[in-house]
Amino acid sequence: MMETHIVGKAYVLGDNVDTDQIIPARHLVYSLSDPEEKKRYGQYALSGVPDAVAGLPGGRVPFIPEGEFRSPFKVIIAGKNFGCGSSREHAPACLQIAGVAAVIAESYARIFYRNVVDGGFFIPFEAADSLVGKLCTGDEVTIDVASKTVTHAGTIYALRPLGDVETILEAGDVFAYARQSGLIPTPQPVGTPTAGRTAGS
Amino acid sequence: MTLTEQVLARHAKRASVVPGDNIWVDVDVLMTHDVCGPGTIDIFKKQFGAEARVWDPEKVVIIPDHYIFTADAYAHRNVDILRAFAGSQQLPYFYDVNTPRYKGVCHIALPEEGHTRPGEVLFGTDSHTCTAGAFGEFATGIGNTDAALIMGIGKLWVKVPSTLRFVFEGTMPPYLMAKDLILHIIGDIGVDGATYRAMEFAGDGVMSLSMEERMTLCNMVIEAGGKNGMIAPDETTFAFVRSRTNKPFEPVFDRPDAHYETERRYRIADIPPTVAKPHSPDNRASVREVAGTAIDRCYIGSCTGGKVSDFLAAAKVIRGKEVKVDTYIVPATTEVMREISRSTYEGETLLSIFQKAGCKIAEGASCAACLGGPSDTFGRLNKAEVCISTTNRNFPGRMGSKQSAVYLASPYTVAASAVAGTIADPREFL
């Protein structure tokens, strides 16, 4: 189920942040289910972003502090075509493992967006008007999930409706959605976490 | 309906669909590899049970190809996971490493082994799965979670995409390749110009292309954000497919009621040899505009530019000359590797041409440095180097170091640059 409010610090990125920047390919070897190995995805999340544009407007802000596995930033603000490139699910997974609860982009690449939704990793919001340039890395933001707004220092910015995928996000992931739709006849085994939470918990 | 709509409607058991419809489709082939297979298998077991069986072993194809020739222990562990799963599920189409069945790059291996068939639905855990649209089928990339769902139930939900149609008129001049055409289109519409959309290629300029060249066109639709590429099947398609498989298939063909969101027309004669400059596939320039640019190495390989015809093109330029910068030759599959040691140009094998020119030849077929990979990967850019490459993507750090820079180009242009030592127009060498 989706959280009602997401409160945390923002990390701001530009346009076309591709999956190789989100999680460089040499790291795709770690297990997504082994708890210790999986932490490395958090450690290297966004490590491929060029230093000059890592944390706008100034850049050179590490998303993950040296030697850590979790990020102090809970919300990512991005420009156009966030997550373009590869179909690697390690990309949304690494952001969730690092502690990201929502991304607000101007637009997404299709496979990345689909992976976020079907894996139930976090909420992929789109801003009605781009927030890159309006918000700075480190700004405290509050997302109201129901009313689709994000607030910083008293200013309220509108987010777009989630549309068709809200049903899947509310169900939790595509497996829960498929069970609701009667496409998986057997109930989920008791105590088994869903795919997305497996990758992130 | 468009070709894409016809395939999706049939697989949803509907008379018709329109763009924007959310439908569940039956899957003909699910492909996965060593990078995404282990995660997919893990989710499949968690969701369907440790003893669960895949929905149809004949339809699950597993092709390890990414991190094969490396000392990385995790990479080898991941292939072990695939092997154990293929064994326990008795999957007939597992192309294991260190066996005569080993293939290499999945998108080239799929058609070689007869897994790409007109009218079908193919999902793969790799963004370049769109390559198979060249065979007149719906093919697209997905993540581990979607692949695990397909493994269990053989279905996936899809939003029906609208179609952008690209018509090429005229015949290909001897210095131009499909890579130039697709880089030209991406330069026009941008790296998100086809997001959520099908890209269909048509016209006499496209239908006169070989299957390998058609695959290059469809391979890079993902670089424009496209969901799938599509080319109507014809005798060229059927001849290729029938030479690789006896399985029956039901092709779809152009219909007069097809509605396209846009249709762009190009005269091939107007398109020059083209590159994408660092650091984006839509950062287009003609080769002439960047001729003379200093480079540190050249790379010929990958699902985009590592096929037999790609190496034949390179050999035409390189034969009888020496390369002036490090030039890496990475055949996509073991079949391509065998073929370059047999196929000849002007009486000399392609392999001999590359060896005499001083090229560095990969020890085996794989994705290699196209996506960087582990630090000991053949051809990886480990520092602030400039490379001109026949691969598909050049965002920062794609081929290794964040400090490196990649120009994307056709095999002709990369080969011309190899013998010139700086970026060079292939028309000067052909």
Side-chain angles (χ1 to χ4, degrees):
Chain A
M1 299 305 124
M2 292 192 284
E3 294 176 67
T4 57
H5 290 82
I6 296 165
V7 182
K9 282 193 169 65
Y11 190 81
V12 184
L13 295 165
D15 292 339
N16 300 321
V17 175
D18 79 310
T19 50
D20 280 292
Q21 295 178 62
I22 296 173
I23 183 73
R26 70 179 177 281
H27 299 304
L28 302 179
V29 294
Y30 318 129
S31 165
L32 280 160
S33 54
D34 178 89
E36 278 307 305
E37 249 180 76
K38 196 174 69 178
K39 281 161 61 179
R40 305 249 234 141
Y41 285 109
Q43 182 180 0
Y44 296 113
L46 293 178
S47 64
V49 178
D51 298 343
V53 289
L56 296 174
R60 301 185 190 285
V61 182
F63 179 65
I64 305 286
E66 187 68 32
E68 307 263 324
F69 300 92
R70 300 272 293 181
S71 176
F73 304 98
K74 198 171 176 183
V75 176
I76 290 173
I77 307 292
K80 290 180 194 162
N81 205 26
F82 187 70
C84 58
S86 145
S87 67
R88 63 188 70 156
E89 197 162 301
H90 315 67
C94 81
L95 296 179
Q96 188 207 41
I97 293 165
V100 168
V103 174
I104 305 173
E106 192 176 340
S107 64
Y108 293 89
R110 192 190 66 76
I111 306 177
F112 178 87
Y113 183 80
R114 190 180 168 99
N115 287 343
V116 171
V117 171
D118 279 2
F121 291 104
F122 49 81
I123 309 179
F125 285 111
E126 289 181 343
D129 297 303
S130 178
L131 299 180
V132 180
K134 297 193 178 103
L135 295 176
C136 298
T137 295
D139 284 353
E140 285 284 347
V141 297
T142 300
I143 298 172
D144 184 327
V145 174
S147 69
K148 310 284 186 290
T149 58
V150 58
T151 306
H152 167 65
T155 306
I156 299 172
Y157 303 95
L159 304 174
R160 291 189 194 283
L162 291 166
D164 294 339
V165 302
E166 190 155 8
T167 320
I168 303 175
L169 288 165
E170 280 179 345
D173 63 21
V174 74
F175 288 98
Y177 175 67
R179 285 190 172 87
Q180 284 176 5
S181 311
L183 287 156
I184 303 178
T186 52
Q188 187 178 337
V190 177
T192 305
T194 60
R197 293 197 190 93
T198 302
S201 56
Chain B
M1 290 188 287
T2 64
L3 297 166
T4 295
E5 289 155 15
Q6 290 179 63
V7 174
L8 292 177
R10 184 198 294 159
H11 285 76
K13 300 187 178 71
R14 290 187 182 205
S16 66
V17 294
V18 295
D21 283 352
N22 279 307
I23 56 173
W24 287 88
V25 294
D26 293 324
V27 179
D28 294 303
V29 175
L30 171 68
M31 188 283 300
T32 189
H33 52 45
D34 54 306
V35 167
C36 296
T40 298
I41 291 164
D42 184 58
I43 297 169
F44 168 75
K45 287 181 175 174
K46 280 199 171 74
Q47 290 290 336
F48 295 98
E51 303 304 318
R53 310 298 297 176
V54 303
W55 101 101
D56 187 342
E58 283 283 322
K59 295 180 175 177
V60 178
V61 178
I62 301 185
I63 308 177
D65 62 355
H66 273 61
Y67 305 153
I68 309 302
F69 303 100
T70 171
D72 190 294
Y74 288 120
H76 292 288
R77 182 269 317 267
N78 291 341
V79 176
D80 292 343
I81 291 171
L82 300 181
R83 185 177 303 117
F85 185 74
S88 69
Q89 297 280 339
Q90 296 174 294
L91 302 181
Y93 302 119
F94 172 52
Y95 299 95
D96 200 359
V97 182
N98 288 324
T99 74
R101 299 199 75 195
Y102 177 67
K103 291 296 299 181
V105 178
C106 58
H107 309 299
I108 310 306
L110 282 168
E112 284 177 356
E113 296 298 313
H115 299 299
T116 55
R117 296 174 293 260
E120 293 198 349
V121 168
L122 163 71
F123 288 102
T125 60
D126 193 287
S127 62
H128 292 107
T129 303
C130 54
T131 308
F135 293 86
E137 66 177 323
F138 177 83
T140 193
I142 53 172
N144 300 354
T145 298
D146 283 343
L149 179 65
I150 294 172
M151 264 188 185
I153 67 173
K155 294 177 191 292
L156 189 62
W157 73 270
V158 196
K159 185 173 205 160
V160 178
S162 59
T163 293
L164 310 180
R165 197 163 197 248
F166 300 86
V167 180
F168 285 92
E169 292 160 351
T171 51
M172 294 287 277
Y175 54 83
L176 210 66
M177 297 186 75
K179 182 67 172 281
D180 298 297
L181 306 186
I182 190 65
L183 287 175
H184 196 81
I185 289 175
I186 297 167
D188 273 355
I189 68 175
V191 288
D192 59 356
T195 302
Y196 294 105
R197 288 159 178 87
M199 292 173 73
E200 185 178 315
F201 304 100
D204 60 337
V206 171
M207 302 322 288
S208 63
L209 295 176
S210 68
M211 282 319 299
E212 288 196 347
E213 284 282 86
R214 295 181 192 188
M215 287 162 66
T216 305
L217 273 184
C218 290
N219 173 273
M220 285 190 70
V221 307
I222 184 63
E223 269 58 70
K227 182 170 199 154
N228 65 302
M230 180 61 83
I231 297 174
D234 64 0
E235 279 311 315
T236 303
T237 321
F238 300 139
F240 186 106
V241 174
R242 286 185 187 126
S243 74
R244 301 287 176 160
T245 180
N246 295 321
K247 287 203 173 153
F249 53 86
E250 288 180 67
V252 295
F253 297 101
D254 280 332
R255 282 175 31 166
D257 65 353
H259 175 77
Y260 306 106
E261 183 177 326
T262 60
E263 183 173 280
R264 286 171 183 260
R265 303 188 85 85
Y266 295 89
R267 288 189 340 139
I268 285 176
D270 295 339
I271 297 174
T274 300
V275 299
K277 296 181 286 182
H279 295 281
S280 184
D282 63 0
N283 194 12
R284 182 182 72 194
S286 71
V287 175
R288 283 205 169 130
E289 290 174 285
V290 294
T293 301
I295 49 174
D296 298 298
R297 68 171 60 173
C298 297
Y299 187 96
I300 305 175
S302 83
C303 55
T304 316
K307 305 179 291 301
V308 176
S309 54
D310 297 316
F311 291 109
L312 177 60
K316 284 181 184 174
V317 174
I318 288 174
R319 184 172 179 274
K321 304 183 185 75
E322 284 189 11
V323 296
K324 294 203 173 118
V325 292
D326 287 348
T327 298
Y328 293 80
I329 301 288
V330 190
T333 64
T334 48
E335 182 173 325
V336 175
M337 200 135 206
R338 274 195 305 277
E339 208 51 47
I340 68 166
S341 66
R342 280 201 297 244
S343 294
T344 58
Y345 176 67
E346 303 278 325
E348 194 176 357
T349 69
L350 307 185
L351 184 61
S352 166
I353 289 168
F354 296 135
Q355 283 169 335
K356 282 189 193 165
C359 299
K360 297 172 186 296
I361 318 286
E363 63 169 308
S366 80
C367 300
C370 171
L371 77 163
S375 56
D376 60 351
T377 300
F378 182 74
R380 189 179 194 274
L381 303 178
N382 287 321
K383 51 182 197 281
E385 293 163 304
V386 179
C387 177
I388 185 164
S389 176
T390 66
T391 54
N392 43 59
R393 228 167 252 160
N394 63 344
F395 292 113
R398 166 69 175 177
M399 293 184 74
S401 166
K402 279 201 271 194
Q403 277 74 47
S404 63
V406 176
Y407 288 80
L408 304 175
S410 79
Y412 278 145
T413 299
V414 173
S417 306
V419 296
T422 60
I423 294 181
D425 193 308
R427 284 171 285 194
E428 294 167 23
F429 294 88
L430 286 163

